[in-house]
Amino acid sequence: MLRSASDLEAYVLELGFLPFFRNSVRGFSIEEMVDPRLWFSEEEGPWEWKGQVIRNLNCAYGKFFNGKAGYISLDWFPDFANHRRALHPVTSTVADPETGISEKMILETVRAHESLLSKELKDLCGLTSKRRRRSFDLIDTLEPIPVTKNRRRGGLEPALTGLQMATRIVIADFEYNISRSGEPYGWGIARYTTPEALYGEELLSNCEERSPDESRQRILSHLLSLFPDAPQSRLLKLIE
């Protein structure tokens, strides 16, 4: 059982990657490895551990597994990126018709600012209800966003999830609101960036000599070594 952020990080580094929630492979998730009493208690639990693990810069965090969150060690991230970027190319297709948001728009905006909190990204994309545009935004140069009323705050999520699944964007940290007494409170707000900005351009060059298919097979072979009795079809659900 995982009892601390250091336990969690050590296990991610040992396994190579680890989904946050239950998935197609039984037992292969943080959810199944943490005492249920630690999820919502006064003690620090897996929600609080996320930022600590991310800031050590040994593990990438994002929605990497079937659109759900998880960790990938930096030893394995280049192979995931090699495979996933070929499998999920960035598209300018509108991901949400109501907002006009596309993956390309979000990625270029994050790149231009190096990193953005989710609320800052929503503001730049015109998704906050009190948005008042006072200056020229990069987003205007990419694709026009149709002016609509009552844009949904969740309109960003489909494209953001797609970019994380494609390993184009990762979560750099979680930041908290601060009370008058100086104490953090509430849910952490995700800060998004690119792996190149967070870890350096050279990281993804570590498997330049491998094809995307070779990286995919390397990941699958590793999973088979961890779970030799699991049906291959279930393991593939975590890879694609």
Side-chain angles (χ1 to χ4, degrees):
M1 298 293 285
L2 305 176
R3 295 180 175 83
S4 67
S6 59
D7 283 352
L8 172 56
E9 181 175 352
Y11 205 47
V12 173
L13 294 177
E14 178 183 340
L15 297 180
F17 34 94
L18 182 61
F20 204 93
F21 301 106
R22 295 174 189 268
N23 54 77
S24 57
V25 182
R26 185 177 179 181
F28 189 46
S29 73
I30 296 166
E31 183 179 359
E32 296 163 278
M33 298 175 183
V34 173
D35 188 327
R37 292 172 295 183
L38 287 178
W39 286 89
F40 299 99
S41 71
E42 293 183 359
E43 295 183 64
E44 286 192 346
W47 301 119
E48 292 78 22
W49 299 341
K50 292 187 295 185
Q52 299 175 47
V53 174
I54 294 169
R55 287 191 292 274
N56 287 338
L57 299 180
N58 294 315
C59 308
Y61 181 83
K63 293 182 177 179
F64 301 136
F65 304 102
N66 293 318
K68 296 182 180 180
Y71 297 87
I72 301 175
S73 75
L74 294 198
D75 285 341
W76 281 95
F77 192 84
D79 277 300
F80 269 88
N82 194 27
H83 165 53
R84 290 282 185 80
R85 292 185 179 190
L87 187 66
H88 303 288
V90 176
T91 175
S92 58
T93 302
V94 171
D96 183 82
E98 186 175 337
T99 62
I101 299 299
S102 71
E103 291 181 1
K104 178 183 176 183
M105 294 166 63
I106 293 172
L107 181 59
E108 292 300 325
T109 304
V110 171
R111 282 174 173 166
H113 292 80
E114 192 166 287
S115 74
L116 288 168
L117 291 172
S118 55
K119 61 183 180 181
E120 294 171 336
L121 187 52
K122 287 176 179 179
D123 189 52
L124 285 170
C125 292
L127 296 178
T128 50
S129 58
K130 296 182 180 180
R131 166 72 166 153
R132 291 186 179 181
R133 191 164 294 202
R134 297 181 179 179
S135 61
F136 180 79
D137 290 331
L138 171 75
I139 203 85
D140 295 325
T141 70
L142 302 175
E143 293 180 23
I145 302 176
V147 178
T148 59
K149 294 182 179 181
N150 302 319
R151 287 177 178 166
R152 294 176 297 158
R153 291 182 62 81
L156 207 64
E157 295 308 314
L160 262 179
T161 297
L163 288 168
Q164 290 172 82
M165 282 293 294
T167 67
R168 296 286 183 175
I169 282 180
V170 298
I171 295 176
D173 204 350
F174 287 90
E175 301 180 18
Y176 293 82
N177 293 316
I178 303 298
S179 68
R180 291 181 179 178
S181 62
E183 296 296 323
Y185 70 91
W187 292 100
I189 302 169
R191 177 172 289 279
Y192 294 98
T193 187
T194 63
E196 289 86 350
L198 188 59
Y199 308 116
E201 296 277 352
E202 65 277 3
L203 173 68
L204 299 186
S205 67
N206 290 343
C207 64
E208 283 183 341
E209 296 181 0
R210 285 193 285 274
S211 70
D213 284 342
E214 287 171 335
S215 286
R216 176 183 181 274
Q217 187 56 48
R218 187 167 183 261
I219 297 167
L220 178 59
S221 296
H222 181 63
L223 273 174
L224 285 168
S225 72
L226 295 175
F227 303 99
D229 298 326
Q232 185 167 310
S233 59
R234 293 191 179 185
L235 299 179
L236 286 172
K237 286 183 179 180
L238 290 175
I239 295 176
E240 305 305 326

